């Protein structure tokens, strides 16, 4: 889910974002979903992991969500979309599981409010919704109660009706109760004659030590190939397309190195603040929530060498090599900020600390920028710049590849002194309005020689009539199929935390005060100094006329 050169006027800094899976309040709805079924082959062109007859196999999926938002807004709608598209088996059951008391009818009412017919209208969507909701049930229980899990197991067996039972559990709960839930599910609700898998929603700890401890605890009850660590950004269409863009297009692969690329920027921006959910955010911050996972995963896919094959382990092996090749991150290469109140157009926007769930005087960054380097033959010396922030001037997630200047450019006189404006740039816009565009120099039609910077633009909405699936649809289907390519392996996770943990510890121990920036601005001024330190300009600062 970028860079600058700090001056003596700027304190060093870093931060967090993405509120879609924010969790707070132990009394809020904690969801768990169980799905029984087998996937029809027509859903995917690639070979499915479940090849048995749909009359003889059953799959169970379980999801825990602390406040219910992820289940209501993402998981249930994603499952309905898969059902609508014929990607779920003939026989499937979905179970919600939480501490709260709720009936099957109440669960169905709650879920129905978030289901949409967004895919198309080729069949009666209302009828489809009714059929889907008939498969949704609810079972209340505690996460550390083997008795409650045994009760769920009995209910699942009734629906599975003697078929081979494959069960998938989805954990989107605070890490401190991961292990209890896994222990109980493993001992009391595992499949007796099929496979059992667990999807784990972030955060995967707060640092190297807590993450490693969590992994060790999970592996007391699960094998590594049963654990699916989900990062929903890896399921986004444009992130999926990264390797296709590079490895299947001859025009890009030869340019993908230090010889032609000047810098690469990974930018994440939200145009809203914590909005009453700062309690969760304050415990993690923008670096842990966005940079250490979403942006770093995109960087690893972008920078990896050609894998031996498209097999999940071959791809993940190459990603780990990138992460292990990265230079230790220094505090001097990090800028942190926190948004302050700002009045614009007669409307007053609150500061981060105005959120009543945020502790008074909190130094938690809501913005961070960092300069990272990969010390290998392909990328030696190329700055990889990241920035992520909340309450900024717009919403975006994108990768910007800035190429080197043309040596001895014949048209320097026509371009002027600002060579950055004439440099080719490849932009991969992950969200919103998915697009890939390449900035090139072009002659403006006419008798004179006037150059213009133009875009070769692939706007997905214009090129493809089919709506892009939500990331959770792809990832849920992959987990059901046993496809691990888009999930994070334990050594990947260790390498990612090893990069960020030291600087996070230093920020907290030294109580680094973030630079305050107005709500709705472009973020801290020091982020621009950080980029300038490496002779870089943030690509999202200029105006993309066609965007």
């Amino acid at each position: 889910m970028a860079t600058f050169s700090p001056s003596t006027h700027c304190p060093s800094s870093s931060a967090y974002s993405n509120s879609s899976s924010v969790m707070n309040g132990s009394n809020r709805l904690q969801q768990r979903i169980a799905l029984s079924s087998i996937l029809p082959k027509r859903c995917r062109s690639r070979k499915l992991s479940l090849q048995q007859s749909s009359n003889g196999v059953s799959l169970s999926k379980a999801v825990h969500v602390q406040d219910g938002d992820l289940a209501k807004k993402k998981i249930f709608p994603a499952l309905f979309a898969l059902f609508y598209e014929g990607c779920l088996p003939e026989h499937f059951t979905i179970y919600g599981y939480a501490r709260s008391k709720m009936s099957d009818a109440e669960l169905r009412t709650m879920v129905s409010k978030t289901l949409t017919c967004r895919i198309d209208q080729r069949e009666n969507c209302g009828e489809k919704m009714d059929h889907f909701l008939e498969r949704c049930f609810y079972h209340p229980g505690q996460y550390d109660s083997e008795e409650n899990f045994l009760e769920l197991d009995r209910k699942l067996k009734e629906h599975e009706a003697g078929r081979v039972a494959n069960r998938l559990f989805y954990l989107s709960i605070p890490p401190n109760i991961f292990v209890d839930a896994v222990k109980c599910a493993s001992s009391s609700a595992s499949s007796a004659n099929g496979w059992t898998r667990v999807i784990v929603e972030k955060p995967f700890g707060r640092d190297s030590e807590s993450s490693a401890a969590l992994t060790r605890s999970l592996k007391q009850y699960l094998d590594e190939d049963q654990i699916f660590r989900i990062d929903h950004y890896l399921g986004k269409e444009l992130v999926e397309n990264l390797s296709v863009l590079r490895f299947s297009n001859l025009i890009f692969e030869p340019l993908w190195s230090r010889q032609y690329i000047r810098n690469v920027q990974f930018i994440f921006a939200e145009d809203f603040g914590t909005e009453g959910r700062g309690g969760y955010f304050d415990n993690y911050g923008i670096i842990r929530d966005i940079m250490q996972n979403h942006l770093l995963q995109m960087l690893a896919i972008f920078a990896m060498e050609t894998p031996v094959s498209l097999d999940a382990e071959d791809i993940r092996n190459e990603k780990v090599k990138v992460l292990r090749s990265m230079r230790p991150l220094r505090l001097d290469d990090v800028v942190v900020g926190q948004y302050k109140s700002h009045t614009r157009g007669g409307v007053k926007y609150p500061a981060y600390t105005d959120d009543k769930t945020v502790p008074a005087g909190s130094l938690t960054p809501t913005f961070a920028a960092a300069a990272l380097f990969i010390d290998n033959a392909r990328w030696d010396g190329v700055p990889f710049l990241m920035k992520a922030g909340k309450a900024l001037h717009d919403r975006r997630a994108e990768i910007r590849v800035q190429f080197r200047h043309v040596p001895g450019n014949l048209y320097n006189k026509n371009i002027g002194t600002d060579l950055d404006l004439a440099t080719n740039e490849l932009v991969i816009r992950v969200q919103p309005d998915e697009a890939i565009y390449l900035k090139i120099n072009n002659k403006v039609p006419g008798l004179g020689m006037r150059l213009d910077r133009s875009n070769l633009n692939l706007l997905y909405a214009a090129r493809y009539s089919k709506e892009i699936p939500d990331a959770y649809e792809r990832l849920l289907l992959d987990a059901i199929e046993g496809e691990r390519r888009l999930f994070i392996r334990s050594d990947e996770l260790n390498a990612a935390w090893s990069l960020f943990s030291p600087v996070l510890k230093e920020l907290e121990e030294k109580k680094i005060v973030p630079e305050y920036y107005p709500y709705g601005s472009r973020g801290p001024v020091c982020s621009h100094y950080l980029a300038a330190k490496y002779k870089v300009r943030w690509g999202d600062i200029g105006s993309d006329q066609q965007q």
Side-chain angles (χ1 to χ4, degrees):
M1 243 52 97
T3 295
F4 308 104
S5 151
S7 71
T8 55
H9 302 292
C10 292
S12 200
S13 359
S14 316
Y16 159 120
S17 187
N18 200 340
S19 60
S20 65
S21 61
V22 168
M23 302 174 290
N24 65 348
S26 61
N27 293 326
R28 295 200 178 181
L29 177 63
Q30 303 183 9
Q31 290 292 346
R32 178 158 185 244
I33 294 174
L35 163 67
S36 293
S37 69
I38 176 170
L39 300 177
K41 292 183 182 179
R42 68 179 179 274
C43 180
R44 287 275 180 102
S45 58
R46 70 170 185 249
K47 182 179 179 181
L48 297 179
S49 61
L50 301 176
Q51 298 294 331
Q52 298 96 325
S53 163
S54 62
N55 293 321
V57 178
S58 154
L59 169 70
S60 299
K61 175 177 176 296
V63 182
H64 301 255
V65 182
Q66 173 72 7
D67 63 3
D69 273 0
L70 187 61
K72 290 184 289 186
K73 296 178 180 178
K74 292 293 184 181
I75 306 305
F76 279 104
L79 288 171
F80 173 65
L82 293 176
F83 171 69
Y84 191 99
E85 290 281 17
C87 295
L88 294 185
E90 180 183 352
H91 304 288
F92 72 91
T93 304
I94 300 172
Y95 256 90
Y97 182 102
R99 293 171 178 159
S100 306
K101 299 293 182 181
M102 184 184 295
S103 66
D104 294 343
E106 288 171 331
L107 174 73
R108 290 165 183 166
T109 299
M110 180 193 77
V111 171
S112 66
K113 295 176 181 178
T114 63
L115 303 184
T116 64
C117 301
R118 65 166 184 76
I119 301 169
D120 59 39
Q121 297 291 339
R122 66 175 179 267
E123 295 184 55
N124 187 312
C125 187
E127 184 178 337
K128 285 275 191 178
M129 281 187 184
D130 291 340
H131 290 163
F132 176 79
L133 291 171
E134 287 171 1
R135 313 290 186 93
C136 297
F137 301 88
Y138 184 80
H139 180 74
Q142 301 295 319
Y143 293 118
D144 58 355
S145 171
E146 293 194 10
E147 181 180 353
N148 292 157
F149 276 81
L150 281 170
E151 292 168 357
L152 175 66
D153 179 64
R154 285 193 290 270
K155 289 185 176 180
L156 288 174
K157 285 178 179 176
E158 292 176 7
H159 293 286
E160 290 159 356
R163 300 180 187 88
V164 174
N166 296 321
R167 294 183 178 178
L168 176 63
F169 296 86
Y170 193 122
L171 306 179
S172 182
I173 51 179
N176 63 319
I177 53 178
F178 275 171
V179 179
D180 287 341
V182 168
K183 178 182 177 181
C184 292
S186 177
S187 63
S188 304
S190 286
S191 171
N193 55 5
W195 50 253
T196 300
R197 298 170 184 156
V198 176
I199 297 178
V200 182
E201 184 76 40
K202 72 180 182 71
F204 314 119
R206 294 189 79 255
D207 51 28
S208 294
E209 291 74 20
S210 59
S211 176
L214 177 59
T215 296
R216 286 193 301 270
S217 297
L218 292 177
K219 287 186 177 181
Q220 292 179 38
Y221 309 104
L222 302 169
D223 296 329
E224 173 64 26
D225 63 3
Q226 292 180 280
I227 304 172
F228 288 68
R229 298 173 187 84
I230 191 170
D231 182 334
H232 74 275
Y233 259 67
L234 295 182
K236 289 186 177 292
E237 189 68 38
L238 270 293
V239 177
E240 266 270 73
N241 195 42
L242 259 180
S243 56
V244 176
L245 183 72
R246 175 180 168 189
F247 297 125
S248 69
N249 290 290
L250 184 61
I251 60 170
F252 291 125
E253 174 55 22
L255 305 179
W256 225 257
S257 74
R258 61 188 297 272
Q259 294 172 296
Y260 298 101
I261 292 178
R262 189 160 55 108
N263 70 84
V264 186
Q265 302 176 17
F266 298 85
I267 299 171
F268 177 95
E270 289 181 335
D271 56 2
F272 54 88
T274 54
E275 298 181 342
R277 292 186 163 188
Y280 165 81
F281 182 90
D282 202 74
N283 192 41
Y284 291 94
I286 199 82
I287 295 177
R288 291 184 177 93
D289 193 52
I290 299 299
M291 297 176 75
Q292 182 272 341
N293 41 71
H294 299 333
L295 299 188
L296 192 60
Q297 282 293 315
M298 289 196 291
L299 185 154
I301 295 172
F302 177 93
M304 69 181 184
E305 296 298 319
T306 308
V308 174
S309 73
L310 292 177
D311 181 77
E313 296 312 304
D314 289 333
I315 292 173
R316 297 197 292 186
N317 287 342
E318 295 303 328
K319 288 167 62 184
V320 171
K321 289 178 185 178
V322 171
L323 297 175
R324 288 179 174 171
S325 298
M326 298 190 74
R327 188 183 304 171
L329 183 59
R330 303 177 305 163
L331 192 60
D332 287 347
D333 283 332
V334 177
V335 167
V336 291
Q338 186 185 105
Y339 66 87
K340 62 181 180 180
S341 64
H342 179 59
T343 301
R344 185 175 68 249
V347 178
K348 184 176 181 179
Y349 295 89
Y352 172 65
T353 51
D354 290 338
D355 187 329
K356 294 180 180 179
T357 64
V358 173
S362 172
L363 298 179
T364 297
T366 60
F367 175 98
L372 303 117
F373 293 87
I374 302 171
D375 291 333
N376 63 19
R378 181 181 293 272
W379 298 112
D380 184 39
V382 176
F384 284 79
L385 310 178
M386 287 183 182
K387 70 173 176 179
K390 299 183 78 67
L392 297 174
H393 72 293
D394 68 357
R395 172 178 172 263
R396 70 171 69 205
E398 62 187 18
I399 303 169
R400 306 184 80 101
V401 185
Q402 295 185 347
F403 293 93
R404 295 193 178 278
H405 303 308
V406 176
N409 193 323
L410 290 173
Y411 298 97
N412 279 348
K413 291 181 179 179
N414 305 86
I415 292 170
T417 57
D418 192 346
L419 290 178
D420 281 344
L421 295 179
T423 301
N424 298 134
E425 184 178 34
L426 175 67
V427 181
I428 301 165
R429 190 168 59 215
V430 177
Q431 68 178 29
D433 303 324
E434 294 86 347
I436 301 172
Y437 56 97
L438 179 65
K439 296 188 175 186
I440 64 167
N441 295 313
N442 186 59
K443 179 184 176 296
V444 176
L447 299 178
M449 178 56 70
R450 187 164 66 89
L451 301 190
D452 178 39
R453 198 182 196 199
S454 305
N455 291 345
L456 299 179
N457 195 343
L458 167 59
L459 182 63
Y460 270 53
R463 175 65 178 86
Y464 303 106
S465 58
K466 183 177 178 63
E467 181 166 345
I468 295 174
D470 183 80
Y472 280 94
E473 295 172 34
R474 175 177 287 109
L475 293 170
L476 287 173
L477 190 54
D478 279 352
I480 291 169
E481 291 184 340
E483 170 57 66
R484 296 173 176 82
R485 181 171 48 91
L486 300 179
F487 294 87
I488 302 169
R489 207 166 60 187
S490 59
D491 54 347
E492 275 187 81
L493 185 59
N494 292 340
W497 275 121
S498 295
L499 181 63
F500 279 99
S501 286
V503 76
L504 283 166
K505 183 178 180 181
E506 195 172 357
L507 280 166
E508 290 166 0
E509 287 182 347
K510 292 183 177 180
K511 292 182 168 51
I512 300 295
V513 178
E515 179 187 342
Y516 297 99
Y517 61 95
Y519 191 117
S521 69
R522 293 182 179 272
V525 174
C526 287
S527 63
H528 301 283
Y529 286 111
L530 177 60
K533 176 180 178 181
Y534 295 103
K535 298 180 173 59
V536 174
R537 177 185 296 174
W538 289 110
D540 63 324
I541 300 304
S543 59
D544 291 346
Q545 296 296 335
Q546 297 182 28
Q547 309 316 311

